[in-house]
Amino acid sequence: MATVKQAIGEIDVVAFTEAIDKTNYSEGAGKWPAGTRGTVVSDYGDHKEVEISDDRGVALDFPVVPVEKLKLVTRIRFALGGHR
């Protein structure tokens, strides 16, 4: 039986499946550990830009991560259209 992987899109919440390098945007060097959660803010197909924020919602970093290193935590979808 084939497995179907859910597509990860913008505004979905994801977790890293392995450590990811911090970018120049973040303070300090090092890695975000596996399990770090963030929100997808840009979708580049096989890579996603993920916003990592602190508990107050302040953005800490925006790494661009290959899809295979992400796990979908929460799918966020809004209905388009007006009220009835």
Side-chain angles (χ1 to χ4, degrees):
M1 178 190 312
T3 59
V4 176
K5 188 166 184 154
Q6 291 188 332
I8 295 172
E10 288 186 13
I11 71 173
D12 288 342
V13 177
V14 295
F16 299 157
T17 59
E18 60 185 69
I20 301 296
D21 290 335
K22 292 184 178 182
T23 68
N24 291 334
Y25 181 85
S26 62
E27 294 210 13
K31 295 183 180 284
W32 295 107
T36 298
R37 291 183 177 200
T39 302
V40 176
V41 293
S42 293
D43 186 343
Y44 304 117
D46 61 348
H47 286 70
K48 311 296 181 191
E49 183 175 24
V50 179
E51 179 181 331
I52 307 300
S53 300
D54 66 13
D55 293 339
R56 298 171 298 164
V58 175
L60 302 174
D61 202 2
F62 293 90
V64 176
V65 182
V67 169
E68 60 269 9
K69 296 182 181 183
L70 296 173
K71 178 176 113 177
L72 181 64
V73 173
T74 305
R75 179 172 302 286
I76 308 293
R77 294 289 178 251
F78 295 104
L80 300 177
H83 297 284
R84 291 186 180 199

